[in-house]
Amino acid sequence: MKSEYRDQRHSTRRGNLFVAAAALVLSCVLCCGCLRPPSTNDTKSSGSTSTEGVPHPADYYEGYWLCSGYGIDGKTVSFSDLSPEQRGSFPYLVLELGRSGGTLSQVSNGDGEYRMLFGGDSRATSGGIRLINEEGGLDLALADEFLVLTPDAAASLEASVNEMGLYLDYRLPQGNATYYFVRTASDSQLQVVTYGFDGITLDVPVDVAYTLDGVTPESSDNGRISTYGASYRRYGPRMDFSSWPTEATSMAEVIDEAEGQGYSSEHPEEFTEYEGVLYHLHHNEELNYSRLGFVAGGKLYEIVFSYDDEDVVDYSDYCEHFFTSIRFAGEDLAAEQSDGVPSGAIPWQDAAQHVGETVTVYGPVAEIDYASTSDGQPTFIDLGAAYPDPSRVTMVIWGEDRGNFPETPEALYAGKTLYVTGEIYLYRDVCNIEVTSPSQVKVL
């Protein structure tokens, strides 16, 4: 009888934690092909104010325009062509144009702090748009899809900035410079680009990436790496990134530690397994932020995203799901993710050839049985075939270990294809693997 077999409790505890090893390569990528000024062969790149066609009304220019590059001494410098290190000295200029006025500001790379260089009323002209205040005017020419700050206008602006004695983190390039500004998407439209941090990449809002990409993450003596970026938009979002070494192999183990790194297991719904990684996502709708924690490649990562609910962009869905864009560097892990099977794993049909060995076995879940009224309250998860087929491989989770899982094994693994790591032993001629921690189990 099935109940007779499954009421038995094995006398020996077996199991082994699976450590997912990956060679992570530091990566910092910002895909900003949209932030590219005209090439040096473009006759309009010289900053000519002449345009063809019907002039646009002032509301055509409303919104944010980012400095995508500049031309100086006959050379064009494009933001999208610069290395992350070179972007640290990029001008980071932003035009914010409203219905009747506008400002030209420089935003500090990283924290997004504004330093206004010029502000005033806005007026459409035959060649573009003009900002006017009591001190004078600032003309920006429309050239193709770009607004251009000509060398003469840039020189006048720089003289005015120097006269005001403004402190700037990033000085405007000296010499005969032409600045190119590209329109961003509609203020209510979410745009994301790929950003890299300490061996991972993920999608971040473009307004955060614009000021974040040139920042060199800070390192501490204990191996902690951290950085943060704030939007170039005045009421835009902010993201904080941190990582530090850990001996844990999953977030469940991190929370089991004495201090738990500030995380909590009180809310199991905050655990989400995605593509074989167990994430802890604490989402606070009232405060509009999400705190994400996960373990990969011997490091504990933490990413915090926060936004203003009165922002014109709706970040609520992004806030809850941005972790699904995370990708890991390193050829070993990349290969594992491409076909879903880790190197060295064996199919469930071959388990009988490895009795007494600690291996990784993979196969589809055929049946899950929680014997809650039996001695030891075991959970049996059959891979490959269901009871009573003797060819099956049975994962055994005892009742005292069910609490180690962020959700019930039934909810986590039903209908999934798993790979499980542990010592294979025989019980009544059936291959078994005892599982005590979710770190032993991955979902393909």
Side-chain angles (χ1 to χ4, degrees):
M1 296 292 292
K2 181 176 182 178
S3 60
E4 291 177 353
Y5 162 64
R6 294 200 161 172
D7 283 352
Q8 300 294 325
R9 179 160 189 167
H10 305 297
S11 60
T12 303
R13 300 288 305 200
R14 295 181 175 90
N16 194 21
L17 296 180
F18 172 55
V19 179
L24 297 184
V25 180
L26 184 63
S27 171
C28 192
V29 182
L30 179 60
C31 300
C32 287
C34 60
L35 303 182
R36 183 182 298 275
S39 68
T40 53
N41 295 327
D42 190 337
T43 58
K44 294 182 179 181
S45 67
S46 63
S48 171
T49 60
S50 63
T51 58
E52 298 179 0
V54 180
H56 295 285
D59 59 6
Y60 167 84
Y61 301 97
E62 289 181 15
Y64 287 88
W65 296 72
L66 298 182
C67 180
S68 61
Y70 58 91
I72 186 170
D73 297 332
K75 297 180 180 179
T76 299
V77 179
S78 172
F79 177 86
S80 58
D81 289 337
L82 296 177
S83 69
E85 294 76 16
Q86 292 172 323
R87 289 172 188 159
S89 59
F90 192 76
Y92 291 92
L93 300 174
V94 177
L95 272 168
E96 184 180 358
L97 300 176
R99 186 171 298 275
S100 59
T103 59
L104 173 63
S105 302
Q106 187 170 47
V107 293
S108 176
N109 192 3
D111 60 20
E113 180 182 349
Y114 271 72
R115 292 174 173 84
M116 191 176 74
L117 306 181
F118 193 93
D121 298 332
S122 60
R123 180 182 304 168
T125 67
S126 61
I129 194 165
R130 178 179 175 84
L131 299 181
I132 308 170
N133 61 22
E134 296 178 354
E135 303 297 326
L138 185 66
D139 288 296
L140 294 122
L142 185 64
D144 292 334
E145 73 274 29
F146 295 93
L147 276 175
V148 178
L149 187 65
T150 65
D152 289 344
S156 176
L157 173 66
E158 186 169 353
S160 176
V161 169
N162 292 336
E163 184 177 342
M164 289 186 292
L166 289 179
Y167 167 74
L168 299 177
D169 280 345
Y170 304 95
R171 302 297 299 175
L172 302 181
Q174 303 294 314
N176 193 28
T178 301
Y179 298 92
Y180 307 97
F181 296 83
V182 66
R183 183 201 303 272
T184 66
S186 168
D187 287 348
S188 61
Q189 180 180 346
L190 172 63
Q191 275 191 313
V192 296
V193 295
T194 302
Y195 172 73
F197 171 76
D198 194 25
I200 64 170
T201 62
L202 72 159
D203 292 343
V204 304
V206 65
D207 47 328
V208 173
Y210 182 73
T211 63
L212 175 65
D213 189 68
V215 178
T216 301
E218 296 182 359
S219 301
S220 61
D221 293 338
N222 63 0
R224 183 185 180 100
I225 298 175
S226 60
T227 191
Y228 74 93
S231 171
Y232 61 75
R233 295 188 302 107
R234 296 180 186 273
Y235 304 104
R238 168 179 169 138
M239 296 192 78
D240 295 75
F241 301 83
S242 299
S243 70
W244 54 95
T246 181
E247 295 182 359
T249 59
S250 74
M251 281 304 299
E253 290 185 34
V254 171
I255 292 176
D256 283 343
E257 295 178 2
E259 297 181 358
Q261 301 287 353
Y263 292 94
S264 171
S265 60
E266 296 179 358
H267 304 285
E269 70 276 6
E270 295 176 355
F271 285 88
T272 301
E273 186 164 5
Y274 182 77
E275 294 191 352
V277 178
L278 186 65
Y279 295 94
H280 184 273
L281 181 66
H282 175 66
H283 181 62
N284 190 315
E285 295 182 356
E286 294 182 358
L287 299 179
N288 301 311
Y289 84 91
S290 285
R291 182 188 185 203
L292 177 71
F294 61 98
V295 173
K299 297 180 182 179
L300 170 61
Y301 291 85
E302 179 180 276
I303 303 174
V304 179
F305 178 82
S306 58
Y307 67 100
D308 190 330
D309 61 356
E310 296 183 359
D311 198 331
V312 293
V313 178
D314 182 6
Y315 288 101
S316 57
D317 185 69
Y318 172 85
C319 195
E320 293 186 59
H321 299 100
F322 70 88
F323 70 92
T324 61
S325 69
I326 293 175
R327 296 293 180 267
F328 303 92
E331 295 181 357
D332 292 342
L333 187 54
E336 173 183 324
Q337 291 181 333
S338 65
D339 60 12
V341 179
S343 177
I346 62 172
W348 65 276
Q349 299 95 326
D350 296 343
Q353 304 172 26
H354 299 273
V355 174
E357 301 177 19
T358 297
V359 295
T360 298
V361 179
Y362 66 91
V365 173
E367 183 182 23
I368 300 180
D369 179 18
Y370 176 32
S372 59
T373 60
S374 299
D375 181 28
Q377 297 183 313
T379 301
F380 300 96
I381 303 176
D382 292 330
L383 301 182
Y387 177 88
D389 191 324
S391 68
R392 70 189 184 277
V393 176
T394 300
M395 296 166 47
V396 183
I397 303 173
W398 296 105
E400 64 188 34
D401 296 320
R402 275 178 66 96
N404 296 336
F405 293 76
E407 298 181 58
T408 65
E410 298 91 320
L412 284 173
Y413 305 132
K416 305 293 181 61
T417 297
L418 309 178
Y419 60 88
V420 55
T421 299
E423 182 181 342
I424 298 177
Y425 64 97
L426 292 179
Y427 183 79
R428 295 188 176 179
D429 296 325
V430 173
C431 290
N432 286 252
I433 298 178
E434 190 169 314
V435 175
T436 62
S437 166
S439 63
Q440 291 177 253
V441 186
K442 303 296 181 183
V443 178
L444 294 182

